[in-house]
């Protein structure tokens, strides 16, 4: 089982998450709740499974295994990457609509709906940047394999294994962009990596602005 999980691709992890989400939706069918809330609960389960599998890979793979895995598996499909970003955007729209419903609720039901919306929003944020982290890792080591010495990213203090970047380094790079919409001490050195980082930064900024707008909406509806 551990061997199988260590070779799973991004789409496979998303498939496992989707299966978990469908199972949660099916389990909640008898529960008296709106279809939107039931769907968001399934989304939370899906991204939870995806995050657990992704962080398990990050915690168990050192730099050597990260490089070998990135170079042996197919590069993440651009269509799949775009599709996941669309799913995240759709989930944010659903969260916004759900939070609009809380104005007609009160007590525990109101608190539960707000909590569900916030958990789903956090899951969407984590999913977007985790997908990008694995995309950066694959692009970095595939570029090295194809003749780009630095892989398009300059990590401070990097060297040969085990000091070469592992999945945690790419998670760090991706999450910093997600929080600040800019790079920190890791620099993009290739044209292709700068384009990927630019798109990621724009999406991160738009997502963070949406989070702020939803937060203001929740606060305004609570007073």
């Amino acid at each position: 089982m551990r061997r199988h999980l260590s070779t799973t691709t991004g789409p496979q992890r998303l498939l496992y998450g989707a299966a978990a989400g469908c199972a949660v939706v099916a389990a909640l069918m008898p529960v008296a709740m709106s279809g939107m809330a039931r769907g968001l609960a399934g989304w939370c389960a899906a991204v939870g499974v995806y995050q657990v599998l992704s962080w398990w890979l990050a915690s168990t793979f050192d730099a050597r295994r990260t490089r070998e895995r990135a170079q042996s598996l197919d590069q993440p499909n651009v269509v799949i990457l775009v599709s996941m970003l669309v799913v995240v955007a759709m989930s944010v729209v659903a969260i916004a609509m759900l939070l609009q419903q809380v104005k007609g609720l009160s007590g525990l039901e109101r608190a539960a709906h707000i909590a569900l919306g916030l958990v789903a929003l956090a899951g969407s944020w984590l999913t977007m940047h985790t997908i990008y982290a694995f995309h950066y890792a694959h692009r970095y080591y595939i570029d090295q394999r194809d003749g780009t010495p630095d892989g398009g990213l300059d990590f401070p203090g990097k060297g040969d294994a085990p000091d070469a970047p592992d999945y945690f380094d790419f998670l760090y790079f991706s999450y910093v962009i997600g929080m600040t919409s800019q790079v920190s001490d890791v620099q993009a050195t290739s044209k292709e990596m700068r384009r990927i980082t630019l798109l990621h930064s724009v999406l991160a900024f738009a997502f963070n602005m949406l989070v702020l707008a939803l937060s203001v909406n929740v606060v305004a509806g609570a007073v």
Side-chain angles (χ1 to χ4, degrees):
M1 183 64 178
R2 290 172 61 88
R3 181 181 179 85
H4 171 69
L5 290 177
S6 67
T7 59
T8 54
T9 62
Q12 286 176 319
R13 294 195 304 277
L14 290 167
L15 181 61
Y16 292 148
C22 291
V24 168
V25 171
L28 291 175
M29 289 301 291
V31 180
M33 58 191 304
S34 67
M36 187 178 298
R38 193 178 291 112
L40 278 185
W43 168 254
C44 291
V47 298
V49 170
Y50 177 78
Q51 289 297 319
V52 168
L53 292 176
S54 297
W55 283 87
W56 180 83
L57 282 175
S59 63
T60 56
F61 274 54
D62 58 13
R64 178 186 61 81
R65 296 185 69 192
T66 299
R67 181 180 65 252
E68 291 174 352
R69 183 178 184 275
Q71 293 180 345
S72 63
L73 297 177
D74 291 336
Q75 180 183 356
N77 193 304
V78 174
V79 174
I80 295 175
L81 182 64
V82 172
S83 298
M84 288 307 100
L85 296 178
V86 170
V87 170
V88 170
M90 291 177 62
S91 71
V92 172
V93 173
I95 294 166
M97 295 176 65
L98 176 64
L99 293 179
Q100 286 291 332
Q101 296 178 357
V102 303
K103 296 179 179 180
L105 303 176
S106 60
L108 183 60
E109 188 177 13
R110 179 189 180 92
H113 273 68
I114 292 177
L116 178 60
L118 293 177
V119 170
L121 189 61
S124 299
W125 190 92
L126 290 170
T127 299
M128 174 187 291
H129 303 304
T130 302
I131 289 174
Y132 259 106
F134 281 85
H135 186 54
Y136 284 126
H138 281 261
R139 186 72 266 160
Y140 178 89
Y141 280 116
I142 288 173
D143 283 353
Q144 279 196 346
R145 184 194 63 188
D146 294 343
T148 303
D150 62 2
L153 289 175
D154 182 18
F155 289 87
K158 73 176 181 182
D160 297 330
D163 294 328
D166 56 20
Y167 280 128
F168 268 117
D169 292 301
F170 295 105
L171 284 168
Y172 161 75
F173 179 66
S174 182
Y175 277 48
V176 167
I177 292 176
M179 290 181 284
T180 65
S181 298
Q182 64 179 1
V183 298
S184 55
D185 53 343
V186 182
Q187 301 298 315
T189 61
S190 70
K191 180 178 292 187
E192 182 176 5
M193 196 65 80
R194 284 193 291 270
R195 288 174 177 172
I196 296 173
T197 304
L198 174 62
L199 176 60
H200 185 192
S201 300
V202 171
L203 289 173
F205 180 80
F207 195 96
N208 291 342
M209 291 299 98
L210 186 55
V211 170
L212 179 61
L214 289 175
S215 300
V216 172
N217 182 278
V218 172
V219 172
V223 296

